[in-house]
Amino acid sequence: LLLFTFTYVQFFNVEAAFRLTEITKETVYVDGVRSTKIVGSIDMDGIITDQVINYLGANTKTNANLNIVVADDYDPFEWRMSGLPVIIDTVHERYDNFEVIGGVNGDFYDINNTGQPVSLHVRDFEVIQRGYGGTRNAVGFKDNGDVVFGIPEFDGYELLVYNDEGQLKNRVPVDHINSDPLNDSEISVYFDDYLNTIPASYNKVVIDGIETKINLNKTGYFGKGILNITTTEQVNIEEHQFIIVGHEFNNDQLISENDYVVVQLGLGGDWNDVRFAIGADAQPLVINGVANASLNAGASWNFPAPRTAVGVKSDGTVFFVVVDGRNKPLGMDGVKLTELGEIMEYFGAETAYNLDGGGSSTMALKDLYKALKQTYCGS
């Protein structure tokens, strides 16, 4: 279905002096996902700017075939920065049963050094990064279509043991990272930033890492790997290994040679069953369906820039908006965060947050031109 219009529409919100004028508006549906592009202008408190606004959204609560996936192109033992096309390819390589329909960039990350996300990053239930700011907001997506916003809650470190078919065999609390167990019932995990020898007498399960991550201030650890050896001898940790230690740990053969294990900081509270999550900005753009008029912080919040945001409507529809910017000759002035909040309210958000924008703001849609061509031919 293609709706292609050339219209002049005004939207006026009495509570905030905001007007959006649509010069052109194109909407296309691809596999149940709506994509809309608006070329026009906004009037915010009497200041008129030219804008190109892109919308991508779908209801994952009513369409069981659609999922919100948070993806990355991280190296197994390092962080890495990649553009959206590369990350889309990585999704197709990582998940045989997923086909990307559309996507945006979004994660706030260490752009000048490591590429590490600065907030929560959850990939398929694996807490790759807890964030190193401590109180940064995030948005989490659950399998049932629910979305969680706010500061994540954590339940402490955990050891997850999976069989060779990827089924969870057991979940065990981890009491310490890089320090000794204090009694016979506790277990500890040592990562390869621990430089001392682990003494004899403890049971030690040495894991060869498939992927390990340690955040910048060493407040967040993640490890995934397979069994190398079990020993009671003293050992030193080799690069890309982690070692699970306990006085009687693995006497019951909890971890076997066909298993793989994950050590991570577990999510708790409303975040307990979040499958994917990504970092968000300091303050919400929309609260209870109304743009946040008191917004006064965030990424260059009071300067026009390219922007990316995520919102949820009252019916459960999740949508993303990318506003182009920094290209005035092509009518792309960009917006301040307060203006972005008004745009998210215009699209019907009950709750919305700013994601990472700026020069990396990107939106992609599968087979857009193919879909347009097919629609024209069938008309």
Side-chain angles (χ1 to χ4, degrees):
L1 172 66
L2 172 70
L3 306 176
F4 194 90
T5 61
F6 294 88
T7 59
Y8 183 81
V9 177
Q10 291 187 335
F11 177 85
F12 184 73
N13 185 335
V14 176
E15 296 176 355
F18 174 80
R19 178 184 292 114
L20 186 145
T21 301
E22 300 172 358
I23 298 174
T24 66
K25 181 177 182 179
E26 308 167 38
T27 296
V28 61
Y29 291 86
V30 178
D31 296 341
V33 176
R34 171 191 164 192
S35 172
T36 295
K37 179 179 180 179
I38 296 173
V39 177
S41 64
I42 63 172
D43 182 338
M44 186 75 171
D45 295 327
I47 299 175
I48 300 174
T49 55
D50 296 326
Q51 304 294 342
V52 176
I53 302 167
N54 305 275
Y55 168 106
L56 188 71
N59 193 322
T60 58
K61 292 180 76 71
T62 58
N63 191 333
N65 293 321
L66 294 176
N67 301 272
I68 306 294
V69 174
V70 172
D72 57 75
D73 187 42
Y74 299 142
D75 183 272
F77 305 107
E78 295 180 37
W79 311 97
R80 185 161 57 188
M81 293 173 277
S82 297
L84 186 58
V86 173
I87 293 175
I88 289 173
D89 288 342
T90 302
V91 172
H92 290 149
E93 293 171 3
R94 191 173 282 158
Y95 306 105
D96 292 337
N97 58 331
F98 284 168
E99 180 184 18
V100 175
I101 300 170
V104 298
N105 75 296
D107 217 348
F108 289 97
Y109 62 98
D110 178 16
I111 191 172
N112 296 315
N113 190 11
T114 63
Q116 173 185 232
V118 299
S119 303
L120 180 69
H121 186 88
V122 180
R123 180 212 301 152
D124 206 7
F125 297 112
E126 296 178 356
V127 185
I128 308 298
Q129 160 72 311
R130 68 161 297 174
Y132 56 84
T135 58
R136 295 189 66 97
N137 287 307
V139 52
F141 305 98
K142 301 187 179 185
D143 273 347
N144 64 359
D146 287 345
V147 182
V148 184
F149 291 97
I151 298 174
E153 301 174 54
F154 298 99
D155 266 352
Y157 281 95
E158 59 185 0
L159 167 67
L160 308 176
V161 183
Y162 296 87
N163 64 21
D164 56 357
E165 296 180 351
Q167 298 169 323
L168 183 62
K169 289 175 53 178
N170 215 324
R171 186 183 225 124
V172 180
V174 171
D175 301 288
H176 306 282
I177 299 292
N178 288 353
S179 63
D180 293 345
L182 299 180
N183 55 54
D184 290 350
S185 64
E186 290 189 345
I187 66 170
S188 299
V189 178
Y190 296 81
F191 283 81
D192 62 3
D193 63 330
Y194 185 79
L195 303 180
N196 298 327
T197 299
I198 302 175
S201 76
Y202 296 118
N203 284 3
K204 304 170 196 68
V205 178
V206 181
I207 303 295
D208 288 334
I210 298 171
E211 180 174 15
T212 60
K213 295 287 188 295
I214 303 172
N215 71 8
L216 287 178
N217 57 6
K218 297 188 177 182
T219 59
Y221 288 80
F222 172 84
K224 181 177 182 179
I226 57 175
L227 178 66
N228 179 314
I229 60 169
T230 299
T231 182
T232 58
E233 300 298 319
Q234 70 175 31
V235 294
N236 292 303
I237 305 175
E238 298 182 7
E239 188 177 20
H240 307 324
Q241 286 184 338
F242 56 98
I243 300 178
I244 308 165
V245 174
H247 288 278
E248 298 180 2
F249 181 72
N250 215 42
N251 283 348
D252 57 357
Q253 300 298 306
L254 172 67
I255 302 172
S256 69
E257 61 182 9
N258 294 321
D259 298 332
Y260 71 91
V261 302
V262 171
V263 173
Q264 64 182 18
L265 189 62
L267 291 166
D270 291 341
W271 295 80
N272 183 51
D273 51 354
V274 162
R275 184 173 183 180
F276 294 97
I278 192 173
D281 215 338
Q283 298 177 359
L285 297 172
V286 176
I287 304 171
N288 296 326
V290 179
N292 183 5
S294 62
L295 192 152
N296 62 0
S300 302
W301 71 277
N302 207 27
F303 295 91
R307 302 285 184 181
T308 301
V310 58
V312 179
K313 301 183 183 182
S314 59
D315 67 354
T317 296
V318 180
F319 70 94
F320 301 88
V321 166
V322 170
V323 181
D324 294 315
R326 297 177 185 162
N327 197 337
K328 194 172 185 65
L330 292 182
M332 303 174 181
D333 289 346
V335 292
K336 302 175 183 179
L337 283 190
T338 49
E339 295 168 327
L340 184 60
E342 297 288 348
I343 292 170
M344 297 303 284
E345 179 186 339
Y346 165 77
F347 280 116
E350 279 292 306
T351 305
Y353 273 82
N354 181 51
L355 301 177
D356 189 33
S360 59
S361 284
T362 310
M363 179 176 286
L365 180 67
K366 166 194 166 188
D367 296 337
L368 173 59
Y369 298 109
K370 179 180 178 182
L372 288 170
K373 181 177 179 182
Q374 290 175 341
T375 303
Y376 281 129
C377 291
S379 299

